[in-house]
């Protein structure tokens, strides 16, 4: 009888620790944006219809150089600019930055339709409130 009690206590401790860990991980990821995601959490897809809504929800403002891409070389970055018909601005540490006169959502959608390397919005975010 004593052994059965010990096993139940150990089982309950394991369940409590696992539940605490899982809850903490969920809170950190979903509410604080820290750490890896659970594999079963829904993924949010970017579409041109809700691009402006997501931009506001993310708390960012599109930067002057509206688009960016992850690339290996500057030559690859320039090639992407030619494919999309946009202006290549700069390349540094694997990130290429582009500028366009078109709506950035339209450019991104065109690339998705044609199977071009992906472009992303270049959002500027701030954590500090500015006082004028």
């Amino acid at each position: 009888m004593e052994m059965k009690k010990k096993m139940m206590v150990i089982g309950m401790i394991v369940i409590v620790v696992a539940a605490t860990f899982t809850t903490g991980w969920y809170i950190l990821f979903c509410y604080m944006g820290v750490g890896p995601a659970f594999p079963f959490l829904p993924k949010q897809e970017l579409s041109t219809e809700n691009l402006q809504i997501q931009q506001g929800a993310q708390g960012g403002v599109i930067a002057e150089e509206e688009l960016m891409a992850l690339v290996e070389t500057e030559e690859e970055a320039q090639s992407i600019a030619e494919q999309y018909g946009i202006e290549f601005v700069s390349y540094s540490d694997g990130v290429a930055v582009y500028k366009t006169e078109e709506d950035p959502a339209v450019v991104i959608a065109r690339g998705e339709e044609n199977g071009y390397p992906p472009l992303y919005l270049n959002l500027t975010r701030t954590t500090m409130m500015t006082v004028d």
Side-chain angles (χ1 to χ4, degrees):
M1 190 64 144
E2 186 69 28
M3 184 65 139
K4 194 174 185 181
K5 238 182 182 178
K6 285 182 181 179
M7 291 302 288
M8 283 185 57
V9 169
I10 290 172
M12 292 300 286
I13 290 172
V14 168
I15 290 172
V16 168
V17 168
T20 303
F21 176 77
T22 304
T23 303
W25 189 10
Y26 180 82
I27 290 170
L28 281 173
F29 180 75
C30 292
Y31 295 103
M32 298 179 183
V34 176
F38 290 117
F40 55 82
L41 286 178
K43 296 178 183 172
Q44 189 174 14
E45 294 294 323
L46 180 67
S47 69
T48 56
E49 291 81 31
N50 64 2
L51 189 60
Q52 296 302 322
I53 294 169
Q54 287 183 357
Q55 172 198 338
Q58 292 173 350
V61 176
I62 297 177
E64 187 176 331
E65 289 79 24
E66 299 98 348
L67 299 167
M68 64 181 184
L70 302 176
V71 296
E72 297 291 323
T73 65
E74 187 170 337
E75 291 76 26
E76 182 183 354
Q78 291 172 346
S79 171
I80 290 172
E82 290 172 12
Q83 280 182 315
Y84 278 92
I86 57 179
E87 179 184 343
F88 171 69
V89 177
S90 67
Y91 168 79
S92 178
D93 297 324
V95 177
V97 180
Y98 304 96
K99 193 171 189 169
T100 181
E101 297 298 322
E102 295 179 73
D103 180 3
V106 172
V107 175
I108 291 171
R110 182 173 63 239
E112 288 174 356
E113 290 171 7
N114 294 323
Y116 297 161
L119 289 178
Y120 306 96
L121 284 178
N122 188 11
L123 297 177
T124 301
R125 300 176 188 189
T126 181
T127 58
M128 306 296 282
M129 296 294 290
T130 58
V131 180
D132 293 333

